[in-house]
Amino acid sequence: MHKIVSAEFLASNIKKFEIEAPKIAFKRKAGQFVILRLKEGGERIPLTIADSNHGKGTITIIVQGIGKTTMELISLKTGDLIQDVVGPLGKPSHIKKFGTAVSIGGGVGTAIAYPTAVALKEAGNETISIIGGRTKEFVILEDEMKKVCDEVYPATDDGSYGYHGFVTQKLKDLIDSGKKIDFVLAIGPIPMMKAVAEVTRPYGIQTVVSLNPVMVDGTGMCGGCRATVDNKTVFVCVDGPEFDAHKVDFETLARRNKTYGVFEKEALDHYCNIDKEFQKGLNRNNPAFAG
Amino acid sequence: MEKLSNKERMKIPRQVMPEQDSLVRSRNFEEVNLGFTEELAVLEAERCIQCPKPTCVAGCPVGVKIGEFIQLVSERKFVEAAAKIKEDNMLPAICGRVCPQEEQCEVKCVVGKKNEPVAIGRLERFVADYEREKFGLRKPELKTKTGKKVAIVGSGPAGLSCAADLIQMGHDVTVFEALHELGGVLVYGIPQFRLPKEIVKTEIDVLKELGVEFKPNSVIGFTDTLDELLKNGYDAAFIAVGAGLPYFLNIEGENLNGVYSSNEFLTRVNLMKAYKFPDYDTPVFNVKDKNVAVFGGGNTAMDAVRTSKRLGAKNAFIIYRRSEIEMPARKEEVHHAKQEGIEFILLSNPTKFSGTKGGWLKGVELQKMELGEPDASGRRRPVPVKGSEYTIDIDMAVIAIGNGSNPIIQKTTPDLQFNKWGNILVNEETMETSKNGVFAGGDIVTGGATVILAMGAGRKAAKAIDEYLN
C-alpha cells in the first residue's frame, strides 16, 4: 500500500499526486514510469514519474481523468492509499549536452516532459519549453518549467493564454526566427507528437517522443505495448518509452490504442453507475434527504 | 484386506478420473478434472506392483518415491502418502495437475508395458488435495536458523521450490516478484480450469507461515539491481525469472488490433480476470460469436484456445505447422481441447494477417506444409507446399510459439554470463552462474520448459546454495 501524501488539482480534470514510494523516488531517472493498480480487481496503468522527493520518499505523478481508472484515481485525496506501485520501469531519457533543447508538452504531456527538461538543464543545455493546452486551464507546470528553462512559451488553441495556436506553430516560428535548435522532445496527444515530428523532419533536428501504448505488466512479458518504429516491432515498456519521432509509426500506435475503446466506455459507465448508486445510498442515509 | 497377487493387480483397469462434462465446462472457468474419490484412488494404487527396482522414479525430475507413496495410498494412509511425496516435491497439488507424467514417470511404469500405466499423476493430485482439504497443509520442521539470507528473484515454480527448501534448511529467504500477485506462470499463465489459483495461494501461504518473505511489485534490475541485493545483506541469490519475452511470427499484419501474444491474452484473463469484466477493470477482446485462431502446438496454445472457447468464441482453431504427433502439448490437453470443440488446422503455417480499413484483424493467410526430414529437435521438419496458400476469416489471433529471454536482468547485471539467446549460463549440477553467490534455474536457463523441470532446478539450486553458505 502506498499513501498519497498530497493531492491537488492543476486543472478541472488533471490532478497532481505525491505518493509514498521511497525506493522508486531514490532510483528513478527522467523518462521512467511506474505502473499503478489502485485496488484489488483494478487494472494496471503506466504513468510517467514527473518528479521525486528523496527527503520525503515520494514520487510525483500527474494524471488526467479520461477512462475509468484515471477518473477513479483523480477522485483520491491526501491520505488515501494506492494498492500497488511498481517501478521505476523503462529506459531513462537519453540525456546529454545537445546545445539548445526544446521540450514540448501538450496538456498533461507537459508533466511527462518536465522531468526530462530538468535533466536537459542539468546536462548543460540551453533549454526552451513550449507548453500547450486547449485553453489556459490546461497549460500546466508553467512555474516549474520557468525554473529549469531559459525560455518558456505557453500556447493555447483558443488564444486564452500565451501564444494563440498549436505548439507546432510556435516551434516553427522559433525555427524560422533563426534559432538554432539541436534537440526536441515532444510529449502529448499522438496527433501533436506526429505534427512535431513533421515540423522538425525537414530540418533534420533530432526529435524524441515518449509513447503511451496500452500496457499490462510493463516488464516485457506480454508484448501488448508493441509499437512499430523504423518498420520494426518494439516493446515500448522495455525498449522505450522514448523513441526517435521521425521513425515512429504513429498511425499504428493510435489505432492500437483504440483496441479497448468500447470497453473503456463500458467500464466508465459501470463505474459512474456504481458511483451514482453509492451517492444515492449516501443520500438515503442523510437526514437532509429523508423523505 | 488380502494381499493381491501381481496378476490380480494387472487385471484392474486404469481408473478414470471424473471430469466436468465437455459441453458444460467449455462455457465455464471451473476446473476440468475433478480428481479421484478415495475409492478410485485406492483401487488405482492397487494396480502398482511395487517393483523392486522402480523405473518410474528415474523418470521423475525430482525423484519422488513413487512406489512408497502409492503403497501408503493403497493402505488408505493418505496423509502419510502426502508427507512421503513432500520429501522430494513441495508442490504436489500443482505437479499432480500440470506435470507431463505421460513422458516422465508413467512412461517408465512397468505395468504400462502390457496394460495402461499406473495413474501416478492422478494419485499425487489426490493425496495432495486430500491433505489440504481435510487438514490444511502441514508445516514441515525447520532447522535452526543459520542467519544467512538468500534473495530469490521470481515467484514461479523454480523460485517457490527453492524457497521451500532453503527455509527448511534454516536460511532466511526473500522472494521478489515483478507482478502484484505471487506465483509467476502458475497464476498469469496456466488457466483456472487447469490449475485453480486457490491451490497456488495455499501453497504460497504455507511458505509465508514458514517465514519466507515475499515482495511483490519488485522488478529486480529496476527496483533493486542484483548487485544491490548482494551488497545490502543477501549472501546468495537465485534467479528464476522465467522466460518472459514472447516471440512473434514476424509476418505482415502482426500489429493489427486483435493480435495477441499468448502471454498477454492469458495474463489479461488469468491474472487480471478479464473474464469478469466489468467487475474487474481489465478488458480483453470480445470473442463472443467470433473466430479465434491460436498459433502453436504446445500447452500454452491449448490453454489459450480453450480459454477463448470459454469466453464465447464461435470457432476456435489451433493452427500448427507440423502434424499432431509433433505437437509438444500434453496428450491430455489435446484430448480435452478436442472434446471441447476446438478445431485443429494442422500442417499449416501463417504467412500474413489481413485487416479491415480500421486496422482490425480480419483474416490470416495460411500456407500448407508437408513433413520432410527430421530436424535438430528430432521432429520432422515442415516444408512449405508452393502455391498452397489460402485464407481463413478470423477476428482474434493468439501467438503461442514460445518465449525468448527477458532482457532486464541481463541489461542490469554486466558480469553475469548469458548464451546468445539470452539464457543464463550455469553449471548444470549446481545451477551456479558465472557470478559468485548467484545461482539460476527454470526457463531463464533452459528456455521455455515445464513446471516440474523448473522445480527440479529450484531444488538443485537450494542444495548448492546451502553448501555455498555453510
Side-chain angles (χ1 to χ4, degrees):
Chain A
M1 287 287 196
H2 297 258
K3 192 170 166 188
I4 296 172
V5 178
S6 77
E8 66 168 307
F9 278 105
L10 301 183
S12 57
N13 64 348
I14 299 178
K15 204 166 187 178
K16 175 180 163 184
F17 294 97
E18 283 181 291
I19 301 166
E20 267 179 9
K23 202 160 237 171
I24 302 172
F26 182 72
K27 303 219 70 162
R28 72 98 197 178
K29 292 197 172 81
Q32 288 187 299
F33 63 95
V34 287
I35 283 197
L36 302 191
R37 199 175 67 120
L38 297 184
K39 57 178 189 194
E40 286 304 329
E43 65 180 332
R44 296 168 62 97
I45 58 162
L47 291 165
T48 299
I49 306 165
D51 206 349
S52 62
N53 183 320
H54 290 190
K56 289 203 285 189
T58 57
I59 55 168
T60 303
I61 54 159
I62 297 173
V63 192
Q64 183 167 19
I66 298 168
K68 188 232 166 178
T69 301
T70 48
M71 290 295 272
E72 202 174 354
L73 178 53
I74 65 167
S75 76
L76 298 183
K77 302 175 191 72
T78 304
D80 286 344
L81 298 172
I82 293 174
Q83 176 82 33
D84 300 298
V85 180
V86 56
L89 300 170
K91 285 184 183 166
S93 304
H94 176 64
I95 301 290
K96 64 170 190 179
K97 189 168 176 186
F98 295 99
T100 299
V102 180
S103 303
I104 306 175
V108 76
T110 302
I112 303 166
Y114 170 70
T116 306
V118 174
L120 287 167
K121 181 73 191 170
E122 284 168 357
N125 290 285
E126 182 192 351
T127 50
I128 298 173
S129 69
I130 306 172
I131 52 178
R134 281 202 316 277
T135 65
K136 185 181 182 203
E137 184 190 355
F138 296 100
V139 175
I140 61 169
L141 302 183
E142 188 180 352
D143 292 342
E144 286 83 351
M145 279 296 198
K146 277 184 176 155
K147 283 181 200 149
V148 295
C149 293
D150 302 295
E151 296 166 33
V152 176
Y153 300 102
T156 51
D157 299 359
D158 67 349
S160 56
Y161 186 60
Y163 179 85
H164 186 173
F166 294 140
V167 289
T168 40
Q169 291 163 322
K170 182 67 211 174
L171 175 66
K172 186 95 174 46
D173 286 357
L174 278 179
I175 297 169
D176 290 344
S177 73
K179 183 88 198 167
K180 190 183 169 301
I181 295 170
D182 304 290
F183 177 81
V184 170
L185 168 78
I187 302 173
I190 293 170
M192 181 214 108
M193 294 196 286
K194 188 177 173 224
V196 169
E198 292 318 315
V199 169
T200 58
R201 194 191 301 273
Y203 300 95
I205 300 171
Q206 186 182 344
T207 304
V208 163
V209 288
S210 178
L211 306 187
N212 57 337
V214 175
M215 282 187 194
V216 184
D217 64 292
T219 63
M221 189 270 281
C222 86
C225 65
R226 62 196 191 280
T228 310
V229 178
D230 204 12
N231 292 317
K232 285 193 272 293
T233 293
V234 295
F235 288 6
V236 173
C237 65
V238 285
D239 298 324
E242 292 182 2
F243 294 95
D244 180 343
H246 298 143
K247 293 180 177 165
V248 171
D249 175 349
F250 288 103
E251 280 79 20
T252 303
L253 178 68
R255 174 172 52 69
R256 284 185 59 80
N257 275 0
K258 287 186 191 137
T259 303
Y260 301 102
V262 187
F263 294 99
E264 281 159 18
K265 192 182 172 307
E266 189 185 341
L268 192 59
D269 290 347
H270 185 73
Y271 170 63
C272 293
N273 284 336
I274 288 175
D275 202 44
K276 264 184 225 150
E277 288 300 313
F278 178 67
Q279 290 297 338
K280 264 193 235 160
L282 281 185
N283 292 347
R284 263 197 295 278
N285 296 333
N286 185 334
F289 288 86
Chain B
M1 193 190 293
E2 265 181 62
K3 223 171 168 234
L4 299 175
S5 71
N6 279 356
K7 214 171 178 184
E8 286 168 314
R9 290 180 193 278
M10 297 288 258
K11 275 190 192 149
I12 309 172
R14 181 170 158 118
Q15 298 302 301
V16 176
M17 175 162 53
E19 59 187 34
Q20 269 200 77
D21 175 75
S22 58
L23 203 65
V24 175
R25 72 175 192 246
S26 66
R27 297 197 173 89
N28 69 42
F29 280 85
E30 305 301 312
E31 196 175 9
V32 169
N33 290 323
L34 301 173
F36 278 155
T37 58
E38 288 180 33
E39 282 61 39
L40 287 174
V42 171
L43 202 54
E44 183 62 35
E46 283 176 348
R47 298 183 64 230
C48 176
I49 57 172
Q50 295 293 330
C51 309
K53 281 187 191 161
T55 46
C56 51
V57 178
C60 174
V62 298
V64 167
K65 297 175 196 82
I66 295 167
E68 294 179 42
F69 102 75
I70 292 182
Q71 176 68 40
L72 289 164
V73 175
S74 70
E75 294 165 13
R76 304 187 78 92
K77 293 178 180 162
F78 304 132
V79 176
E80 290 83 349
K84 183 56 74 182
I85 298 177
K86 283 192 180 168
E87 288 174 13
D88 303 292
N89 177 356
M90 275 300 288
L91 307 166
I94 296 171
C95 292
R97 286 172 166 81
V98 301
C99 260
Q101 294 100 5
E102 66 280 2
E103 334 174 335
Q104 295 178 339
C105 49
E106 292 182 16
V107 74
K108 306 244 165 128
C109 173
V110 172
V111 176
K113 285 185 181 154
K114 276 192 179 168
N115 301 309
E116 283 194 275
V118 175
I120 301 167
R122 294 170 186 180
L123 287 171
E124 179 183 34
R125 171 196 161 120
F126 167 78
V127 294
D129 287 356
Y130 180 91
E131 183 196 32
R132 188 183 65 251
E133 284 159 17
K134 289 275 189 323
F135 301 99
L137 291 183
R138 291 187 311 169
K139 290 198 284 182
E141 297 281 307
L142 300 189
K143 286 194 185 150
T144 328
K145 281 282 166 206
T146 60
K148 303 281 178 157
K149 280 175 75 177
V150 184
I152 294 180
V153 187
S155 68
L160 291 180
S161 64
C162 190
D165 280 5
L166 286 170
I167 197 83
Q168 289 178 71
M169 291 164 174
H171 307 299
D172 285 329
V173 181
T174 310
V175 179
F176 297 89
E177 166 57 48
L179 291 168
H180 56 269
E181 199 91 44
L182 304 169
V185 73
L186 304 173
V187 298
Y188 77 72
I190 303 175
Q192 179 78 7
F193 59 82
R194 206 151 70 82
L195 177 64
K197 303 308 149 216
E198 300 72 27
I199 290 171
V200 181
K201 189 176 177 299
T202 313
E203 303 277 4
I204 290 170
D205 284 346
V206 172
L207 296 182
K208 282 183 186 166
E209 275 183 48
L210 291 176
V212 175
E213 189 186 0
F214 286 94
K215 291 198 169 170
N217 295 322
S218 302
V219 183
I220 299 307
F222 285 138
T223 314
D224 290 288
T225 62
L226 197 60
D227 284 318
E228 284 167 334
L229 294 180
L230 295 170
K231 229 179 281 164
N232 299 327
Y234 290 97
D235 302 294
F238 177 56
I239 306 171
V241 294
L245 191 77
Y247 284 136
F248 283 89
L249 293 159
N250 295 319
I251 60 173
E252 194 185 319
E254 203 151 35
N255 291 344
L256 286 164
N257 294 6
V259 182
Y260 285 96
S261 73
S262 50
N263 284 3
E264 182 185 4
F265 178 64
L266 291 172
T267 299
R268 283 179 177 272
V269 180
N270 298 333
L271 178 72
M272 306 309 293
K273 307 230 180 313
Y275 65 97
K276 294 183 179 170
F277 180 89
D279 293 331
Y280 283 71
D281 288 344
T282 305
V284 71
F285 185 90
N286 185 354
V287 298
K288 210 160 170 38
D289 302 322
K290 303 262 172 66
N291 293 337
V292 175
V294 175
F295 299 89
N299 289 321
T300 307
M302 297 305 144
D303 286 346
V305 79
R306 295 170 69 198
T307 296
S308 74
K309 192 81 187 170
R310 282 161 173 75
L311 291 170
K314 181 170 70 179
N315 296 301
F317 306 108
I318 280 285
I319 298 177
Y320 183 54
R321 62 197 184 120
R322 305 185 200 234
S323 73
E324 192 174 324
I325 312 165
E326 289 85 15
M327 277 196 172
R330 294 186 65 195
K331 282 206 180 67
E332 177 179 304
E333 305 308 327
V334 174
H335 171 69
H336 277 155
K338 285 184 175 169
Q339 278 185 329
E340 290 165 15
I342 306 302
E343 293 168 58
F344 285 65
I345 300 177
L346 302 169
L347 289 165
S348 292
N349 198 36
T351 44
K352 70 175 177 203
F353 291 111
S354 53
T356 64
K357 264 197 189 134
W360 290 83
L361 178 66
K362 185 174 79 174
V364 61
E365 184 188 86
L366 302 174
Q367 183 173 41
K368 291 200 172 150
M369 310 292 273
E370 54 191 17
L371 293 178
E373 294 300 307
D375 62 12
S377 73
R379 298 176 300 175
R380 292 178 65 191
R381 187 192 302 274
V383 185
V385 179
K386 271 194 190 144
S388 65
E389 292 83 0
Y390 67 108
T391 301
I392 62 167
D393 291 343
I394 55 169
D395 306 283
M396 186 181 95
V398 179
I399 320 289
I401 56 168
N403 276 280
S405 313
N406 192 282
I408 295 176
I409 294 277
Q410 183 166 14
K411 281 184 183 162
T412 54
T413 321
D415 53 345
L416 196 60
Q417 280 180 17
F418 292 79
N419 69 14
K420 64 177 171 177
W421 297 285
N423 301 118
I424 299 176
L425 293 171
V426 298
N427 170 334
E428 284 178 18
E429 289 309 306
T430 61
M431 312 314 282
E432 263 179 297
T433 69
S434 55
K435 194 171 164 71
N436 194 29
V438 178
F439 301 73
D443 282 2
I444 189 62
V445 168
T446 56
T450 58
V451 168
I452 188 71
L453 278 175
M455 289 186 35
R459 304 208 69 208
K460 259 192 206 172
K463 191 163 163 272
I465 291 169
D466 186 50
E467 279 161 19
Y468 170 82
L469 293 175
N470 289 330

